[in-house]
Amino acid sequence: MTAGLVVTLIFAIGIITGMPIAFVLIISSFSGLVMLRGFDVALSALSTMPYGKSTDIALSVIPLFILMGYLASQAGISEKAYQIAYRFVGHLRAGLAIATVFACAGFAATSGSSVATSAAVGKIAFTEMKRFRYNDAISAGTIASAGLLGIMIPPSIMLVVYGIVTQTDIGRLLLAGILPGILTALVFCIGLYVLALIRPDLMPVANERFSWRDRMVGLKDGSGILILFTVIIGGLYSGLFTVNEAAGVGAAAAFALLLLKRGFDWKALLIGGKEAVASTAMIFLILIGAGLFGQYVALSGLAGTVTKLITGSDLPRYLILVLILLAYIPLGMFLEPISMCLITLPIVFPAIKALGFDPVWFGVIIVKMSELANITPPLGVNVFVIKSIRPEIQLSTVFRGASLFMLLEIITLVILVIFPEITLFIPNLMAK
């Protein structure tokens, strides 16, 4: 009990003072281990954890997927994805917003990150929506929220991290994200279309139409998206590649697309490499802290106690699930998604398994909660991304536009909870 109070106090102070979450996890977990098993045991854990995590072959997926996303962005995949979507649906009600959602879905198939997706697509989408006098809140909210598809549609870094922490098959997790990602995009588009019917002044109709010939040419230009998606998902589904091999081949394919880009500049490759290294270092440091925290949770018996309390209660298992998911909402307001999941999963996941929920399905549900956290004030990471690419827009404006998508995210989440078959359909086909 004393160790738990000390860890909680250190954790709270670290969060309040703005300390990086990786260091909060390391310091609080080390302190807890000292109180539970002594200084020597805690020091041994601290000295072995960085090497153990950084040399884990399963974690090689993360830098490769991150590198693939950055190389694809430098190759102009995001611009091509937007142009394809714009040529097909730009002339419809809410057409530019819907095109943004589809473009983010396309770029998500090469990215794995919601932040990268919003940033890459947002630069071109915002200009077009401004040109046709779209409401700033709707424009900003759409870009921030459509970027969320980056952590659901494979290759998803969040699903990879979840798989590593919970020892769940990463290949099945990545395949499980396909249909929920498509469903999310469709719910977003329907919501935007309905809003455009009710308030047409918010999203004026663009008066530009393209011939089918122009549309087909656009599809040819966007073949890079199809290549990367086919390499990863096709390889996994057919059993041709392991997850690590699919990540490596995907990164190589993205590099080839960058080399084939007109006006190729080696500077773009260096930029992509530096950004990938920085992102990987941040994630690995958080994983090291999470590993220490997992050891503390295991030694403290906290996970077992929570599991016994939950399974020993007379509450229906779906009510328990709802209570667990509700707890993620306030956490998402103050923690970025990867940190939120790494902190909670060692405690929550054993109880979820004991209740009989499918680990792959729950991974997708956790990603949905992470999506919601990315647009929830005050920390919504994707909202700050939009602010960074459009400094003239107020944060309150972006959050106001994202509020529609919070509702749409909750609707999608309810559908996935009621119909788990949507999530498990493709992974189960692979198993057969």
Side-chain angles (χ1 to χ4, degrees), residues 196-216:
L197 290 176
I198 299 171
R199 292 286 307 277
D201 57 300
L202 296 177
M203 292 175 277
V205 177
N207 295 317
E208 289 186 338
R209 290 180 178 270
F210 294 88
S211 67
W212 279 101
R213 182 178 180 279
D214 290 334
R215 292 171 180 172
M216 293 301 106

Side-chain angles (χ1 to χ4, degrees), residues 333-356:
M333 295 172 65
F334 301 101
L335 294 172
E336 57 91 21
I338 289 182
S339 303
M340 178 181 72
C341 294
L342 290 176
I343 292 167
T344 57
L345 284 174
I347 302 170
V348 170
F349 185 71
I352 288 295
K353 284 191 70 176
L355 290 170

Side-chain angles (χ1 to χ4, degrees), residues 129-178:
M129 287 193 272
K130 193 77 173 176
R131 182 161 70 96
F132 286 97
R133 301 187 304 280
Y134 267 51
N135 176 270
D136 280 348
I138 294 297
S139 300
T142 299
I143 297 168
S145 305
L148 300 176
L149 295 169
I151 58 172
M152 178 63 78
I153 295 175
S156 164
I157 300 300
M158 275 294 302
L159 287 173
V160 171
V161 170
Y162 172 90
I164 291 169
V165 173
T166 63
Q167 297 298 298
T168 304
D169 188 298
I170 295 174
R172 284 174 57 81
L173 281 167
L174 292 175
L175 293 173
I178 297 174

Side-chain angles (χ1 to χ4, degrees), residues 11 21 25 151 158 286 293 325 327-346 348 365-374 379:
F11 197 90
I21 190 66
L25 284 169
I151 58 172
M158 275 294 302
I286 294 174
F293 184 73
L325 295 182
Y328 273 94
I329 294 177
L331 287 173
M333 295 172 65
F334 301 101
L335 294 172
E336 57 91 21
I338 289 182
S339 303
M340 178 181 72
C341 294
L342 290 176
I343 292 167
T344 57
L345 284 174
V348 170
I365 297 301
I366 285 296
V367 170
K368 292 306 295 181
M369 298 309 298
S370 300
E371 289 180 359
L372 196 58
N374 264 349
L379 188 61

Side-chain angles (χ1 to χ4, degrees), residues 42 49 57 68 102 129 157 162 190 213 220 235 257 288 290-291 302 338 402-403 425:
M49 186 60 66
I57 189 64
M68 185 184 77
F102 285 145
M129 287 193 272
I157 300 300
Y162 172 90
I190 293 170
R213 182 178 180 279
K220 182 181 177 182
L257 291 173
I288 290 167
L302 178 60
I338 289 182
S403 61
F425 179 72

Side-chain angles (χ1 to χ4, degrees), residues 1 30 39 45 72 99 105 114 161 169 202 209 223 232 241 285 294-295 297 304 340 347 368 372 376 408 419 425:
M1 181 65 73
F30 180 79
F39 183 80
S114 65
V161 170
D169 188 298
L202 296 177
R209 290 180 178 270
S223 59
I232 297 168
F241 300 142
L285 194 57
Q295 286 194 5
V297 169
M340 178 181 72
I347 302 170
K368 292 306 295 181
L372 196 58
T376 301
L408 297 176
F419 303 104
F425 179 72

